[in-house]
């Protein structure tokens, strides 16, 4: 007899039906149109350039249930550091958070990194984004030392622009 | 006896002193701070993400005379199409235009493409940017057919975002 543990969240039972596929150029418009909703009104869509979906489609992923977009990850293989895969942006539909969608998107990116001999994954987030910091720590990322501290967390002050501290994450996918 | 042809432009004689080098992360702030001036008040700096200077430094270039920034090119090697190098952004200081700075930046990018076995260079611009269209045609680019016409020029309507036509350029660096 099969028993099923009750899981919190309106859509948890649907997560078994999540399909993850590579991104394509036509995904860009769908993604930027939901971003303000997914980020609580902040419009960060200018960072999610369509060129990622054209020229970095092989390390960019979309999570769907049927035809509904529930998550995406934009990543690339660093040209400057041949050991590094970089996660530029990841987002999950608010109603599907804490259901493992982000974990599955990251794991697909790890697979892409492994297939391209990239043993190190890097990412960053704002120190205000406590959920993202907790997510990266659960996923086994280390926080890089940086040159400042915000709310007790090491940050790099000018990483993506002047006076905009970021928490830098690093994870080794396999030990050599 | 040496003779010298008169050249138009305030700074033409200085172009012999132009040095072109690879970009680095600290160039980003200098570049975004001059972009509104160089583009006649339009602030396009949100497209010039710092990650290009961190992770694509080997195909990103800066032109300087002494310590003065006079041009830059942000490019990358497409992951999705292993034959293609893509020029994402190029800008030249208004006082140094028509002096060959853009040509030299493009040629450095061609060298980077050749070194990475990329026989095709692609780029795009807005149909309103007549100077950019003329520059690409002088540089031997072809305009890709597209799905519309603006001012007599073939455009692709939704290339980088919906209803924002772009002129797509393509050049083969060497015939096979």
């Amino acid at each position: 007899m099969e028993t099923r543990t009750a899981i919190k969240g309106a859509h948890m039972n649907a997560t078994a039906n999540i399909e993850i596929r590579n991104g394509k150029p036509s995904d860009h418009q769908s993604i930027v149109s939901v971003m303000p909703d997914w980020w609580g009104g902040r419009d960060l869509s200018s960072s999610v350039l369509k060129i990622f979906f054209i020229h970095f489609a092989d390390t960019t992923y979309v999570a769907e249930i049927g035809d509904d977009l529930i998550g995406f990850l934009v990543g690339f293989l660093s040209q400057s550091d041949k050991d590094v895969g970089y996660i530029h942006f990841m987002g999950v539909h608010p109603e599907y958070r804490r259901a493992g969608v982000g974990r599955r998107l990251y794991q697909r990116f790890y697979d892409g990194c492994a297939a391209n001999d990239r043993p190190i994954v890097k990412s960053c987030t704002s120190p205000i984004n406590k959920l993202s910091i907790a997510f990266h720590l659960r996923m086994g990322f280390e926080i890089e030392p940086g040159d400042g501290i915000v709310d007790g967390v090491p940050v790099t002050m000018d990483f993506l622009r002047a006076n905009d501290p970021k928490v830098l994450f690093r994870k080794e996918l396999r030990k050599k």
Side-chain angles (χ1 to χ4, degrees), chain A:
Chain A
M1 197 178 94
E2 194 187 8
T3 60
R4 187 180 288 273
T5 308
I7 308 173
K8 290 180 184 173
H11 298 270
M12 292 299 133
N13 290 330
T15 58
N17 301 320
I18 295 170
E19 300 278 350
I20 295 179
R21 60 168 173 80
N22 278 108
K24 56 182 192 295
S26 60
D27 293 320
H28 177 258
Q29 184 60 33
S30 319
I31 287 170
V32 298
S33 68
V34 298
M35 285 184 70
D37 275 351
W38 289 17
W39 268 265
R42 293 167 72 202
D43 188 358
L44 304 177
S45 63
S46 66
S47 292
V48 180
L49 301 174
K50 190 166 174 181
I51 52 169
F52 293 115
F53 294 82
I54 300 171
H55 289 295
F56 301 92
D58 55 330
T59 52
T60 290
Y61 304 96
V62 166
E64 293 172 319
I65 297 179
D67 291 334
D68 293 333
L69 175 71
I70 61 161
F72 69 94
L73 183 153
V74 174
F76 56 77
L77 309 174
S78 174
Q79 280 183 197
S80 303
D81 187 339
K82 303 292 188 203
D83 285 337
V84 169
Y86 185 80
I87 296 173
H88 173 55
F89 238 89
M90 194 267 282
V92 176
H93 189 303
E95 292 182 11
Y96 291 89
R97 287 185 190 158
R98 307 191 67 78
V101 182
R103 175 176 292 271
R104 286 183 56 186
L105 285 165
Y106 266 52
Q107 284 169 336
R108 278 295 288 270
F109 182 73
Y110 299 166
D111 293 343
C113 286
N116 287 280
D117 294 319
R118 302 282 170 146
I120 297 166
V121 177
K122 291 188 175 185
S123 183
C124 78
T125 198
S126 294
I128 199 173
N129 195 338
K130 305 299 181 199
L131 288 175
S132 174
I133 295 170
F135 170 78
H136 282 92
L137 294 176
R138 282 200 306 278
M139 294 295 288
F141 282 77
E142 295 172 3
I143 295 177
E144 300 208 55
D147 54 12
I149 300 280
V150 172
D151 295 346
V153 178
V155 294
T156 299
M157 292 306 294
D158 302 329
F159 184 59
L160 294 185
R161 99 193 79 220
N163 297 311
D164 182 18
K166 294 288 179 192
V167 183
L168 273 56
F169 300 107
R170 180 184 194 280
K171 179 183 168 81
E172 288 195 32
L173 293 184
R174 51 183 164 77
K175 302 290 179 191
K176 284 179 180 171

CSV table of all heavy atoms in Angstrom, one decimal, chain A residues 2 9 13 21 42 52 65 74 92 108 114 119 123 139 141-142 148 160 165:
chain,number,residue,atom,x,y,z
A,2,GLU,N,0.6,2.2,-0.9
A,2,GLU,CA,1.4,3.4,-1.0
A,2,GLU,C,0.8,4.4,0.0
A,2,GLU,O,-0.4,4.7,0.1
A,2,GLU,CB,1.3,3.9,-2.4
A,2,GLU,CG,2.3,4.9,-2.7
A,2,GLU,CD,2.1,5.6,-4.0
A,2,GLU,OE1,1.1,5.3,-4.7
A,2,GLU,OE2,3.0,6.4,-4.5
A,9,GLY,N,2.4,23.6,0.6
A,9,GLY,CA,2.4,24.3,-0.6
A,9,GLY,C,1.4,23.9,-1.6
A,9,GLY,O,1.1,22.7,-1.7
A,13,ASN,N,2.2,18.8,-5.2
A,13,ASN,CA,2.0,17.5,-5.9
A,13,ASN,C,2.3,17.5,-7.4
A,13,ASN,O,2.5,16.5,-8.0
A,13,ASN,CB,0.6,17.0,-5.6
A,13,ASN,CG,0.4,16.6,-4.2
A,13,ASN,OD1,1.4,16.1,-3.5
A,13,ASN,ND2,-0.8,16.7,-3.6
A,21,ARG,N,14.1,21.8,-19.7
A,21,ARG,CA,14.7,21.7,-21.0
A,21,ARG,C,15.6,22.9,-21.2
A,21,ARG,O,15.6,23.8,-20.5
A,21,ARG,CB,13.6,21.7,-22.1
A,21,ARG,CG,12.7,23.0,-22.1
A,21,ARG,CD,11.8,23.1,-23.3
A,21,ARG,NE,10.9,24.2,-23.2
A,21,ARG,CZ,11.2,25.5,-23.4
A,21,ARG,NH1,12.4,25.8,-23.7
A,21,ARG,NH2,10.3,26.5,-23.2
A,42,ARG,N,10.1,44.2,-8.3
A,42,ARG,CA,11.4,44.7,-8.8
A,42,ARG,C,11.5,44.2,-10.3
A,42,ARG,O,11.3,43.0,-10.5
A,42,ARG,CB,12.5,44.2,-8.0
A,42,ARG,CG,12.6,44.7,-6.6
A,42,ARG,CD,13.6,43.9,-5.7
A,42,ARG,NE,15.0,44.1,-6.0
A,42,ARG,CZ,16.0,43.3,-5.8
A,42,ARG,NH1,15.7,42.1,-5.2
A,42,ARG,NH2,17.2,43.6,-6.1
A,52,PHE,N,21.6,35.7,-24.2
A,52,PHE,CA,21.9,34.5,-23.5
A,52,PHE,C,21.0,33.3,-24.1
A,52,PHE,O,21.5,32.2,-24.1
A,52,PHE,CB,21.5,34.6,-22.0
A,52,PHE,CG,22.5,35.6,-21.3
A,52,PHE,CD1,22.0,36.8,-20.8
A,52,PHE,CD2,23.8,35.3,-21.2
A,52,PHE,CE1,22.9,37.7,-20.1
A,52,PHE,CE2,24.7,36.1,-20.5
A,52,PHE,CZ,24.2,37.3,-20.0
A,65,ILE,N,5.7,23.1,-16.2
A,65,ILE,CA,4.7,22.1,-16.0
A,65,ILE,C,3.7,22.3,-17.1
A,65,ILE,O,3.0,23.3,-17.2
A,65,ILE,CB,4.0,22.2,-14.6
A,65,ILE,CG1,5.0,22.0,-13.5
A,65,ILE,CG2,2.9,21.2,-14.5
A,65,ILE,CD1,4.5,22.1,-12.1
A,74,VAL,N,19.8,31.1,-16.2
A,74,VAL,CA,20.6,31.6,-17.3
A,74,VAL,C,22.1,31.4,-16.8
A,74,VAL,O,22.5,32.0,-15.8
A,74,VAL,CB,20.4,33.1,-17.6
A,74,VAL,CG1,21.4,33.6,-18.6
A,74,VAL,CG2,18.9,33.2,-18.1
A,92,VAL,N,12.3,31.3,-9.8
A,92,VAL,CA,11.3,30.3,-9.7
A,92,VAL,C,10.0,31.0,-9.4
A,92,VAL,O,9.9,32.0,-8.6
A,92,VAL,CB,11.6,29.3,-8.5
A,92,VAL,CG1,10.5,28.3,-8.3
A,92,VAL,CG2,12.9,28.6,-8.8
A,108,ARG,N,20.9,20.6,-13.3
A,108,ARG,CA,21.0,20.5,-14.7
A,108,ARG,C,22.2,21.3,-15.2
A,108,ARG,O,22.9,21.0,-16.1
A,108,ARG,CB,19.7,21.0,-15.4
A,108,ARG,CG,18.6,20.0,-15.5
A,108,ARG,CD,19.0,18.8,-16.4
A,108,ARG,NE,19.1,19.1,-17.8
A,108,ARG,CZ,18.0,19.0,-18.6
A,108,ARG,NH1,16.9,18.5,-18.1
A,108,ARG,NH2,18.1,19.3,-19.9
A,114,ALA,N,29.8,19.7,-16.0
A,114,ALA,CA,30.5,18.5,-16.0
A,114,ALA,C,30.8,18.0,-17.5
A,114,ALA,O,31.9,17.6,-17.8
A,114,ALA,CB,29.8,17.4,-15.2
A,119,PRO,N,34.9,22.2,-13.4
A,119,PRO,CA,34.8,21.7,-12.1
A,119,PRO,C,34.2,22.7,-11.1
A,119,PRO,O,33.9,22.3,-9.9
A,119,PRO,CB,36.2,21.2,-11.7
A,119,PRO,CG,37.1,22.1,-12.5
A,119,PRO,CD,36.3,22.4,-13.8
A,123,SER,N,28.5,31.9,-8.6
A,123,SER,CA,27.3,32.7,-8.7
A,123,SER,C,27.4,33.9,-7.7
A,123,SER,O,28.4,33.9,-7.0
A,123,SER,CB,26.1,31.8,-8.4
A,123,SER,OG,24.9,32.5,-8.5
A,139,MET,N,22.9,24.3,-1.0
A,139,MET,CA,23.4,23.6,-2.2
A,139,MET,C,24.9,23.3,-2.1
A,139,MET,O,25.5,22.8,-3.1
A,139,MET,CB,23.1,24.4,-3.5
A,139,MET,CG,21.6,24.6,-3.8
A,139,MET,SD,20.8,23.0,-4.2
A,139,MET,CE,21.5,22.7,-5.9
A,141,PHE,N,27.4,25.5,-1.6
A,141,PHE,CA,28.3,26.6,-2.0
A,141,PHE,C,29.0,27.2,-0.8
A,141,PHE,O,28.5,27.3,0.3
A,141,PHE,CB,27.5,27.7,-2.7
A,141,PHE,CG,27.2,27.5,-4.2
A,141,PHE,CD1,26.1,26.6,-4.5
A,141,PHE,CD2,27.9,28.0,-5.2
A,141,PHE,CE1,25.7,26.3,-5.8
A,141,PHE,CE2,27.5,27.7,-6.5
A,141,PHE,CZ,26.5,26.9,-6.8
A,142,GLU,N,30.3,27.6,-1.1
A,142,GLU,CA,31.0,28.4,-0.1
A,142,GLU,C,30.9,29.9,-0.4
A,142,GLU,O,30.8,30.2,-1.6
A,142,GLU,CB,32.5,28.1,-0.1
A,142,GLU,CG,32.7,26.6,0.4
A,142,GLU,CD,34.2,26.2,0.2
A,142,GLU,OE1,35.0,27.1,-0.3
A,142,GLU,OE2,34.5,25.1,0.4
A,148,GLY,N,34.3,43.1,2.4
A,148,GLY,CA,33.4,43.8,3.3
A,148,GLY,C,32.5,42.8,4.0
A,148,GLY,O,32.6,41.6,3.7
A,160,LEU,N,29.7,43.8,-9.4
A,160,LEU,CA,28.9,44.0,-10.6
A,160,LEU,C,28.7,45.5,-11.0
A,160,LEU,O,28.4,45.9,-12.1
A,160,LEU,CB,27.6,43.3,-10.6
A,160,LEU,CG,27.7,41.8,-10.6
A,160,LEU,CD1,26.3,41.2,-10.7
A,160,LEU,CD2,28.6,41.2,-11.7
A,165,PRO,N,27.2,45.9,-3.1
A,165,PRO,CA,27.9,44.7,-2.6
A,165,PRO,C,27.2,43.5,-3.0
A,165,PRO,O,25.9,43.4,-3.0
A,165,PRO,CB,27.8,44.9,-1.0
A,165,PRO,CG,26.7,45.9,-0.8
A,165,PRO,CD,26.7,46.8,-2.0
